[in-house]
Amino acid sequence: MKQIRIGLIGTGYIERCHAIAYSQVVTVFPLKAELVLDYLAEITPELAEQKAREFGFKRATGNWRDIVNDPNIDVIDICTPNFLHKEIALAAIANGKHVYSEKPLALTAADAKLMYQAAKKAGVKTLVGFNYIKNPTTQLAREIITKGEIGEVTHFYGTHNEDYLANENTPLDWHCIKEKAGLGALGDLAAHIVQMSQYLLGQEIISVIGDMQTVIQTRPNPNNLQERLAVENEDQATALVRFGNGCMGTIETSRIACGRKMGLSYVITGTKGSIIYTQERMAELKLYLHDENPARQGFKTILTGPLHPDYKNFCVSAGHGIGFNDQKTVEIRDLINGISENSTALYPDFEEGYKVSRILDAIALSCKQKRWVNVEEIE
Amino acid sequence: MKQIRIGLIGTGYIERCHAIAYSQVVTVFPLKAELVLDYLAEITPELAEQKAREFGFKRATGNWRDIVNDPNIDVIDICTPNFLHKEIALAAIANGKHVYSEKPLALTAADAKLMYQAAKKAGVKTLVGFNYIKNPTTQLAREIITKGEIGEVTHFYGTHNEDYLANENTPLDWHCIKEKAGLGALGDLAAHIVQMSQYLLGQEIISVIGDMQTVIQTRPNPNNLQERLAVENEDQATALVRFGNGCMGTIETSRIACGRKMGLSYVITGTKGSIIYTQERMAELKLYLHDENPARQGFKTILTGPLHPDYKNFCVSAGHGIGFNDQKTVEIRDLINGISENSTALYPDFEEGYKVSRILDAIALSCKQKRWVNVEEIE
Amino acid sequence: MKQIRIGLIGTGYIERCHAIAYSQVVTVFPLKAELVLDYLAEITPELAEQKAREFGFKRATGNWRDIVNDPNIDVIDICTPNFLHKEIALAAIANGKHVYSEKPLALTAADAKLMYQAAKKAGVKTLVGFNYIKNPTTQLAREIITKGEIGEVTHFYGTHNEDYLANENTPLDWHCIKEKAGLGALGDLAAHIVQMSQYLLGQEIISVIGDMQTVIQTRPNPNNLQERLAVENEDQATALVRFGNGCMGTIETSRIACGRKMGLSYVITGTKGSIIYTQERMAELKLYLHDENPARQGFKTILTGPLHPDYKNFCVSAGHGIGFNDQKTVEIRDLINGISENSTALYPDFEEGYKVSRILDAIALSCKQKRWVNVEEIE
Amino acid sequence: MKQIRIGLIGTGYIERCHAIAYSQVVTVFPLKAELVLDYLAEITPELAEQKAREFGFKRATGNWRDIVNDPNIDVIDICTPNFLHKEIALAAIANGKHVYSEKPLALTAADAKLMYQAAKKAGVKTLVGFNYIKNPTTQLAREIITKGEIGEVTHFYGTHNEDYLANENTPLDWHCIKEKAGLGALGDLAAHIVQMSQYLLGQEIISVIGDMQTVIQTRPNPNNLQERLAVENEDQATALVRFGNGCMGTIETSRIACGRKMGLSYVITGTKGSIIYTQERMAELKLYLHDENPARQGFKTILTGPLHPDYKNFCVSAGHGIGFNDQKTVEIRDLINGISENSTALYPDFEEGYKVSRILDAIALSCKQKRWVNVEEIE
């Protein structure tokens, strides 16, 4: 069995989720290649050593270039803050590595385009960590739509709202600084729901008009709490969108939405039925079908179970629940199996990551210029 | 005690709701005047006679002008299809009657303006039937916002979605014909949520950009089901809005939203908390406050009860539920008591009705011209 | 058209609900007789005069015997505290009046039996105010069960929990005193769910074993808050029951159930499906059917609407909501129409009221004797 | 670092959950010993080989005695059908192994007692797989109760209802056969909620009276579907219980509860507040507190997050969700860390498993003899 050797470059919370997913994926899914947790980079050699031990990696380094340049590594897994994605990915691609990057792919669509084109030219495979679409429940939603069960989709309403910056005294961090994060809530959160809308509908967003605001304009300097620094990107944004087939949509995002802890949600209306979902109840899908006995119509709450995509590998009983890291585990299954077979494309790849960045940039431009923007206007 | 004599001009479903509300209001609330159900007009004398008997009115006529011209009538209550509001209201005002009209006030903002100005000049009182704001639960939401409990409002998301025209084979009716209804879902449904947003926030919508669609472009001719006629106004619309204080908002409306039976809803985010409400659970308000023990935070489901506005007149126990007609009963209490006292203004009056029409027209214009429209551009 | 003249004897909160229902019923439903609000008794002549004015009754008295002895009264409506039901009802029956009594019918099954037998002998019609079964949503539940949609019922779980005495410093009132109220939570609350279980299943409870407790054993004397008086009946009770067809059930009741404001609820399991309901969401029924595509199974939330029993008289649009007093309005429609036609029996009548009392007494006895009790053991 | 070498004996679905938990626990939690997945037994050597590869175990065997007798094994993990627990556990204990067994511990309380006493005498540590109490959300519930936030608990209502045998044509399997499973729904499901009630309240159940039924009395022979065989144990059971401190409770269980997929739930009422939970929404706890502003009271929906026990090791953001296997991961963390330190007791151990069996046997006895049974009557 072929080996696939992972080089993980990362910090923080999402790195840990990747590590948990790597540790369980071999038990949860039959893989088509042998997964080798090989090399891990962190910001210092000491931290790298510690994390490597914790996460079961063989080798550690304080310099990510060691991993990118190591001939024994097959896949570079990028869990760094956004502003480093581009440099690491381009270096990895240049060395012929497959690349698995967290979202958003880059700070701008222009950067994302460079990355996608470099990967295409190099013939390496790529995957972007839009993990929420790997949830069995959202896979089920896509299945219902694809089979035409709710008819033709006529409206998409999607949100990704959280409240991690709702308190005005939460100190400034890299998410609020343009050159570290790029966009604010749009890049950090809306990237997910924008990509998910395209996944669910099988359609691309082609034009947008948005509105956005930095509600909390200054935050404490983390190094000197008495001082307040400017927040450089948007706290909240909303956009009207049109998909390629003419379907109308609305995208809302906020990082100051008090009470919304994991407010990724969608309401999808079709000519024959509707779907409602919120990530806070990630194992439930609400489905309405219009063609039954009208005296018995209503939204049905479907609990995800073994009859739905990928669930039964976690548990054979319905309604027993899967968690956040389980989504990541499905994603890594796709990564390993997709790389092990030449014929299989990974999804969502850098091209999709670029398309999402383009839409986010188009929304930001439409906010600035107060007009509808065709996504194609963004290179 | 002064008498207030009602002349009801109407047809159909909302006329019946008014009648039920008139019948119970005298028992539910202490009124400041004696309510007299005096004169009722319907489309034929026979139907008028029947309805008068059913609804407890003394006199009946097949000609609404009889009522408008009757010197013994104090209030004209207009429950006709939209296109008749203007003519009846202007005639009533000319005769010095107070006018209580169903929403939307008129087919266009221009017409609504005529009506509002005529009433102002004549010194008569007016009320528009935006009954949902009279629900104790929504009154509670306003109280929470007004008292600053959720801080400064930073975002308003509101919908009025229903599915009464979701089936493409539902025959065409007056709602789909421009000269009878004016706008489609915007006029019939969004009028409510637009007005409610202003009521809840105590702010006016000043600029808008919308998108809209007639999804089902033809419907069976009700007189010849083999033939299909064109639908002349929008099935769904969405708009980004800004309130006077800069607060961002989104308004969504649809009459083809499969499964949404009474999909009037709002999500209001403030700097210290949030409120979530749907009319389908009209006796529940979800409230999140950010400043408690963070390990015990969450949305609280408040069941409306006697400690909330106007509830205890219906029932002295919390959570026992009030119904659709009860909202109308509060509205009619406001009508009677407001008219009985010179000093009290009715709310929402024709001026507010005109402002709502202006916003709806601005949304329609912004859809057509694909640009942001200042509400003031609409006369 | 025949007249039916009402004599209302009452106090307090439920009297007011009756009054509201009387005021709207004539508009909501076509009645088969003319309803006359004739005579009202309260505890003083002054209060009676005031209430008669408020509620639209013609005459008033401070002595209920005046009404019971008045030859012009057809129906005696009893809204007094429980301990007076028997005396008033027997006097009314002796004078050939029909009797409409609030629940529980009497302080003991023995008393209820006297009342039921007297009415039967006198040939007068009787109705007990178990109004919750008149809610369109619960009528729908019965329809689903009766049609066999959930197969044979195999389990009934029902509660009536509230928290009106949850605070240990709420002063003692008549509900806590045996000779005024009889049983505690069982009589005041469980009466509803016990009766409702029989209505829904079309089966009678034949044997029971219960457990009960007075959790808060003393309460402030309302006339001297420093003093605490003994609470004489149960705060909470639970019982296992068997219906006539062998179906198992559980009944729970509490008046100290913190947070439950209108905690009347049922979970009904059948061989083919299940129903879940709570009165706090009185316009929603959850229905699960087992025989559909297993990958699309789930509980459906049905919003009550015009396709369900009695709803369309209140409103022709689904999901618009009906309230607490609307249930009472259906009950009074049944009263008037049932009395106007010789052939129609009222339901639930004093016989059903007696049966319910018998079950409650059986539960109390089983608690005391710590054994299963056949309901027939109670006379 | 000390090694703890696991010998896993199992089949089926729960074995797989253990395997997934073993694979991720080392990444999720800091362990106090090195976990070694050493030896795995299945019903054939071939299957054992395959599972060992899948689950990352070093060695495999078709004979569980090989593992029990292997001096290199520290912990025997028993995932077999119920009827084998006793024999394996006693053999393991005799060899001085620590034992980690799935629930219910044994077919009868008498057997469970033997096991518990043997372990106590041998001085080995034991753990029973009541994994649902390891869910951060249920740990939070216990924390709230223990801290007195809802006052003194006055009532416990708990269920474990599922529908895996709701279809009468589901063939008979070992769950329905007395000598393989012991009790039916009581043993398979109610074991969880009975144990959980004791965990949550910190009180033991001391007396019970139950009722039970085998609703579907025959099922197809799995080897000859035309033939129907008798179901030998109960499909559903309900019991009233009393805890040591006098608190009342109700336990319900069913394996034919149409629509309940993971119907483990509890409603806990205290003198100052209440808690509501269902495992189908395993990341939500509903909490009501009675002592706030009465006009803002309501059940709060708390989404489990990093401020609650054990959550942050899975994810640092609230509301992101944990899954079924994550509970098992917490359990295995407790196992490894508990064994690695002499001073730490495992919970819930065989003594608790025995106590639960005793309660279940007492319920079964009370059903048969139709009387209250003191749990102490069961040896």
Side-chain angles (χ1 to χ4, degrees), chain A residues 16 28 281 284 313 321 324, chain D residues 16 28 281 284 313 321 324:
Chain A
R16 181 172 176 78
V28 175
R281 289 178 174 167
E284 288 184 24
N313 284 74
F324 177 79
Chain D
R16 180 174 177 76
V28 174
R281 289 178 176 167
E284 288 183 24
N313 285 75
F324 177 79

Side-chain angles (χ1 to χ4, degrees), chain D residues 224-299:
Chain D
N224 170 11
L225 296 176
Q226 304 315 310
E227 188 189 13
R228 293 187 77 92
L229 302 173
V231 173
E232 299 177 357
N233 50 25
E234 76 287 356
D235 286 328
Q236 62 180 12
T238 314
L240 309 183
V241 306
R242 285 283 186 131
F243 292 87
N245 62 353
C247 176
M248 285 172 57
T250 307
I251 300 289
E252 291 199 349
T253 192
S254 173
R255 60 191 185 192
I256 58 164
C258 295
R260 266 63 52 91
K261 302 304 175 191
M262 214 308 118
L264 177 68
S265 73
Y266 47 81
V267 179
I268 304 175
T269 306
T271 51
K272 294 183 183 169
S274 298
I275 284 173
I276 299 179
Y277 173 79
T278 171
Q279 189 71 25
E280 290 180 352
R281 289 178 176 167
M282 63 183 282
E284 288 183 24
L285 193 72
K286 294 193 190 296
L287 171 65
Y288 176 91
L289 295 179
H290 211 66
D291 50 1
E292 301 166 26
N293 172 2
R296 299 292 181 271
Q297 282 178 340
F299 275 95

Side-chain angles (χ1 to χ4, degrees), chain B residues 293-338:
Chain B
N293 170 2
R296 299 291 181 271
Q297 281 179 339
F299 275 94
K300 201 184 276 181
T301 301
I302 300 173
L303 299 176
T304 328
L307 299 172
H308 306 131
D310 285 332
Y311 180 97
K312 72 172 179 298
N313 284 75
F314 294 96
C315 181
V316 298
S317 298
H320 280 50
I322 57 163
F324 177 78
N325 295 319
D326 296 339
Q327 300 172 152
K328 213 72 196 173
T329 302
V330 175
E331 183 173 281
I332 285 176
R333 187 264 328 257
D334 287 352
L335 175 77
I336 301 304
N337 287 353

Side-chain angles (χ1 to χ4, degrees), chain B residues 16 28 281 284 313 321 324, chain C residues 16 28 281 284 313 321 324:
Chain B
R16 183 175 176 76
V28 175
R281 290 178 175 167
E284 287 184 25
N313 284 75
F324 177 78
Chain C
R16 182 174 176 77
V28 175
R281 290 179 174 166
E284 288 184 25
N313 285 74
F324 178 78

Side-chain angles (χ1 to χ4, degrees), chain B residues 214-254:
Chain B
T214 306
V215 172
I216 299 171
Q217 300 192 341
T218 64
R219 292 187 176 277
N221 180 340
N223 304 311
N224 171 11
L225 296 175
Q226 305 313 312
E227 188 189 11
R228 293 187 77 92
L229 302 174
V231 173
E232 298 177 358
N233 50 25
E234 76 286 356
D235 286 328
Q236 63 180 11
T238 314
L240 308 183
V241 306
R242 285 281 186 131
F243 292 87
N245 62 353
C247 176
M248 283 172 58
T250 306
I251 300 288
E252 291 199 350
T253 193
S254 172

Side-chain angles (χ1 to χ4, degrees), chain C residues 104-141:
Chain C
L105 187 48
L107 300 196
T108 64
D111 283 355
K113 190 176 189 181
L114 281 180
M115 294 160 74
Y116 138 63
Q117 288 179 331
K120 193 176 171 189
K121 202 168 160 193
V124 300
K125 294 195 175 185
T126 56
L127 183 69
V128 187
F130 292 115
N131 43 257
Y132 297 107
I133 67 166
K134 307 295 184 175
N135 178 1
T137 313
T138 286
Q139 290 191 59
L140 170 61

Side-chain angles (χ1 to χ4, degrees), chain C residues 255-272:
Chain C
R255 61 191 185 192
I256 57 164
C258 295
R260 266 63 51 94
K261 301 304 175 190
M262 217 303 119
L264 177 66
S265 73
Y266 46 81
V267 178
I268 304 175
T269 306
T271 50
K272 293 182 181 168

Side-chain angles (χ1 to χ4, degrees), chain B residues 96-113:
Chain B
K97 314 292 191 201
H98 305 295
V99 188
Y100 169 33
S101 172
E102 270 303 316
K103 44 55 59 184
L105 187 50
L107 301 196
T108 63
D111 282 356
K113 191 176 188 182

